Amino acid sequence: MSNRIILDRKITDDHWRLIETGEAVDANGDIIVPLALWLDQRAQLTARSGRNGVWLAPGDEPRLLAADTGILPLIALRFPQFADGRGYSSARLLRQRYGFAGELRAIGEVLRDQLFYLERVGFNAFAIKPGKSIEDALDGFGDFSDAYQASAMQPAPLYQRRLQSQDQAGLASVAAP
């Protein structure tokens, strides 16, 4: 059975293979390699037939991928424990400062309680912690109906969205005969 992930709020099969530090790289298939391996062997990796993604550990600098965000289809950020939030900042940097538009995946200790917040900083894919229900995790997106703050996915804060909605409603009532 293949692994499953949540991608764009849907459960789907995962066709990517995560390469751990020191692990051999296959010539074929879609792989996610550690940042250090990508930086060291970028030319060899881009010459293989499969697609390449890169994963970052909490201490890795997202700016090291700034020049590659246009060619990478996937970047993953590892959460080694629930309480380590550095991946949130890295995700926001990748989306907003470095313009990454591909799949941004949370890996490691990823739990239902985090999904709403992870999505707000730019994640659209989630590899749920082994042993946890992916179906239950997917339900976590419904835990909150809205958020007050602006985010990578919703740049206007709630008060501005409400004002825009009121302005549009006002214009529609004026335009009605």
Side-chain angles (χ1 to χ4, degrees):
M1 180 177 153
S2 69
N3 291 326
R4 298 181 312 156
I5 61 166
I6 297 173
L7 176 63
D8 297 327
R9 292 190 175 205
K10 294 180 181 99
I11 297 173
T12 186
D13 289 334
D14 182 14
H15 301 287
W16 292 83
R17 188 167 76 86
L18 187 69
I19 304 293
E20 296 294 342
T21 303
E23 190 177 338
V25 174
D26 293 337
N28 300 315
D30 298 337
I31 58 172
I32 310 169
V33 300
L35 176 63
L37 181 63
W38 175 255
L39 296 174
D40 186 49
Q41 298 181 21
R42 185 179 187 277
Q44 297 94 315
L45 289 167
T46 55
R48 6 175 342 273
S49 61
R51 294 181 299 167
N52 297 296
V54 176
W55 66 265
L56 282 72
D60 290 340
E61 286 290 335
R63 69 177 162 73
L64 297 175
L65 287 178
D68 296 322
T69 58
I71 64 165
L72 290 169
L74 183 151
I75 297 175
L77 299 172
R78 176 163 273 165
F79 289 83
Q81 60 187 14
F82 180 79
D84 191 333
R86 292 177 281 179
Y88 290 86
S89 299
S90 295
R92 186 120 188 206
L93 287 170
L94 285 165
R95 288 287 193 215
Q96 293 185 323
R97 184 174 295 169
Y98 304 123
F100 181 65
E103 179 181 326
L104 188 56
R105 184 183 294 193
I107 60 174
E109 295 285 316
V110 179
L111 304 171
R112 172 193 171 127
D113 296 349
Q114 298 166 287
L115 298 190
F116 178 81
Y117 302 105
L118 289 167
E119 185 180 53
R120 290 187 50 74
V121 295
F123 286 97
N124 68 321
F126 313 89
I128 303 303
K129 178 182 178 179
K132 298 294 181 181
S133 167
I134 193 168
E135 291 81 6
D136 179 59
L138 183 62
D139 290 341
F141 288 110
D143 289 348
F144 302 97
S145 61
D146 209 343
Y148 291 107
Q149 303 86 359
S151 72
M153 305 308 282
Q154 177 61 262
L158 182 61
Y159 79 90
Q160 283 183 343
R161 295 191 310 265
R162 284 183 175 165
L163 286 173
Q164 290 170 350
S165 177
Q166 289 171 355
D167 288 347
Q168 291 170 354
L171 290 176
S173 67
V174 171

